[in-house]
Amino acid sequence: MMAIKYGRPIELREVSRRDGAAASPALDLTVRPRRNRKAEWARRMVRENVLTTDDLIWPLFLIDGNNKREQIASMPGVDRLSVDQAVREAERAMKLTIPCLALFPYTDPTLRDEEGSEATNPNNLVCQAVRAIKKEFPDIGILCDVALDPFTSHGHDGLISDGKILNDETVAVLVRQALVQAEAGCDIIAPSDMMDGRVAAIREGLDRSGLLDVQIMAYAAKYASAFYGPFRDAIGSAKTLTGDKRTYQMDSANTDEALREVDLDISEGADMVMVKPGMPYLDVVRRVKDTFAMPTFAYQVSGEYAMIAAAANNGWLDGERAMMESLLAFKRAGADGVLSYFAPKVAEKLRSQT
Ligand SMILES: NCc1[nH]cc(CCC(=O)O)c1CC(=O)O
Ligand SMILES: [Mg+2]
């Protein structure tokens, strides 16, 4: 019996050395993992995870106006788009075979109020964009975020009373927000507010309105994160936000809690679940995928995008390679897809490789 692990059995050592091999010093290794990495064709054969355009959800920021593109300083390469420009990006997404867009509005400050009432206006920016995109490109998926922060004067995701975020009262408004979006033609409702019980309430609201096919992707494990900073610039809530979101978004120290949150959202009717942010929480993605075997998504959030984009713009790292590596990391962690501001660039890169 010869136990071979990482070397050659002692008995075979002498015979195994070829004549002349002594001239070139060699380690006595049977197993050399580098053999499988010796050429690109060999690396392709043993590759465990692949990223394709099917894995991408592309978030777009909307702004009122026509033929307008406004740069977002903290997200170099990402613009706020007027509805007509968002339709052009939808066309680009179709050509790049990106399956789904996510829409986020920059609401005019004059339309923001304490209750976020613009959220339930069936003609708000998001609903306008959904209709315009679906009219030209009915075959692209559209995901709409459900939360009040783009619409409230205080920048919180829910209603406030005496400095507290009200849960049940907020849920009632979120149901109405989800309904105006679904009625506009949105395919996937994505509650990002972290109120308790909102998935069940939204599911019931949709079903009662006959919107049985509208899916719910729950931001199930969403953490109170510093990485949302640039997003809050993009939707214009950074300056107005008072305090933080720690009474509703999760504590970044926890993962068991993430499993309980995901479990609840699934039992309330979520079709898909999301972990957010992405790269700093890949352990959560893996646990969620392994525990529930549900379609699991990750959000590579604005701050993650900004870090890579800023370092690349400074020449501190190879932006394209860092981008591709960061996206593949989500696949390795078990994600079925990723919301990423890099989506169009990634899709272009993937296309140039085939
Ligand atoms: N509730 C709204 C919402 N939906 C997505 C993000 C962040 C996305 C990003 O940073 O890219 C946020 C911000 C927040 O919760 O403060
Ligand atoms: Mg929850």
Side-chain angles (χ1 to χ4, degrees):
M1 266 213 288
M2 300 182 297
I4 305 176
K5 211 155 182 202
Y6 300 114
R8 215 178 284 282
I10 308 282
E11 312 84 289
L12 295 180
R13 273 198 183 160
E14 289 320 304
V15 289
S16 68
R17 298 245 166 172
R18 266 181 255 130
D19 286 346
S24 51
L27 297 172
D28 199 18
L29 301 179
T30 309
V31 179
R32 289 182 182 268
R34 287 184 53 191
R35 285 189 195 106
N36 285 344
R37 302 178 203 134
K38 67 184 175 189
E40 181 56 17
W41 64 263
R43 290 190 291 270
R44 280 169 51 212
M45 278 177 71
V46 299
R47 192 156 286 154
E48 298 171 41
N49 293 285
V50 282
L51 179 70
T52 76
T53 53
D54 294 345
D55 299 317
L56 302 170
I57 299 174
W58 180 8
L60 298 179
F61 293 108
L62 304 167
I63 190 157
D64 203 23
N66 223 300
N67 197 19
K68 207 156 125 190
R69 282 182 174 259
E70 226 176 59
Q71 289 182 11
I72 301 159
S74 53
M75 300 183 73
V78 178
D79 294 339
R80 296 184 197 95
L81 311 167
S82 55
V83 169
D84 58 295
Q85 292 303 301
V87 175
R88 289 329 351 132
E89 297 294 55
E91 180 174 26
R92 194 170 156 215
M94 285 295 287
K95 287 189 178 140
L96 289 168
T97 67
I98 294 172
C100 189
L101 300 171
L103 302 180
F104 297 94
Y106 172 92
T107 307
D108 192 281
T110 60
L111 295 175
R112 298 182 198 220
D113 58 25
E114 281 277 310
E115 291 81 37
S117 35
E118 180 67 5
T120 55
N121 172 1
N123 211 19
N124 67 23
L125 206 45
V126 169
C127 293
Q128 285 177 39
V130 173
R131 283 193 207 97
I133 293 169
K134 278 289 174 184
K135 190 167 167 223
E136 279 204 52
F137 305 106
D139 294 332
I140 195 156
I142 300 185
L143 176 154
C144 291
D145 199 89
V146 170
L148 300 184
D149 56 321
F151 311 98
T152 50
S153 45
H154 44 72
H156 277 286
D157 295 26
L159 304 174
I160 305 184
S161 177
D162 293 333
K164 283 197 176 139
I165 309 296
L166 304 173
N167 193 86
D168 302 15
E169 293 82 347
T170 297
V171 169
V173 182
L174 297 175
V175 172
R176 288 165 50 215
Q177 180 185 13
L179 283 177
V180 299
Q181 294 173 342
E183 263 147 21
C186 167
D187 301 287
I188 306 176
I189 294 294
S192 74
D193 54 285
M194 287 299 278
M195 297 302 120
D196 298 330
R198 91 278 204 216
V199 171
I202 290 171
R203 183 72 270 161
E204 197 194 325
L206 291 170
D207 290 353
R208 274 200 192 159
S209 303
L211 297 158
L212 301 177
D213 287 338
V214 174
Q215 294 152 279
I216 297 178
M217 181 190 290
Y219 286 72
K222 173 168 176 178
Y223 289 86
S225 171
F227 290 98
Y228 307 149
F231 174 97
R232 292 176 189 169
D233 283 342
I235 66 159
S237 71
K239 282 188 217 98
T240 50
L241 182 65
T242 46
D244 58 51
K245 302 191 176 183
R246 286 170 211 250
T247 68
Y248 45 110
Q249 299 178 350
M250 285 179 54
D251 187 325
S252 38
N254 301 347
T255 66
D256 287 345
E257 186 187 5
L259 298 186
R260 297 196 297 274
E261 281 281 9
V262 170
D263 197 11
L264 272 172
D265 286 1
I266 294 169
S267 66
E268 289 179 27
D271 302 285
M272 301 172 264
V273 295
M274 193 207 297
V275 173
K276 176 184 173 192
M279 225 155 47
Y281 296 85
L282 290 180
D283 58 321
V284 181
V285 175
R286 170 52 67 193
R287 278 194 86 187
V288 167
K289 185 65 185 175
D290 287 349
T291 307
F292 300 102
M294 282 288 284
T296 304
F297 292 79
Y299 200 142
Q300 182 178 49
V301 298
S302 57
E304 301 175 65
Y305 173 88
M307 286 194 298
I308 294 175
N313 287 348
N314 272 304
W316 293 341
L317 51 72
D318 179 332
E320 234 178 46
R321 286 187 53 204
M323 166 183 86
M324 296 307 281
E325 190 176 332
S326 71
L327 268 287
L328 189 58
F330 291 104
K331 294 305 298 289
R332 214 179 52 240
D336 295 291
V338 188
L339 289 92
S340 173
Y341 301 99
F342 287 121
K345 276 185 211 148
V346 170
E348 271 155 17
K349 178 81 183 163
L350 288 171
R351 205 151 74 156
S352 74
Q353 286 169 347
T354 52

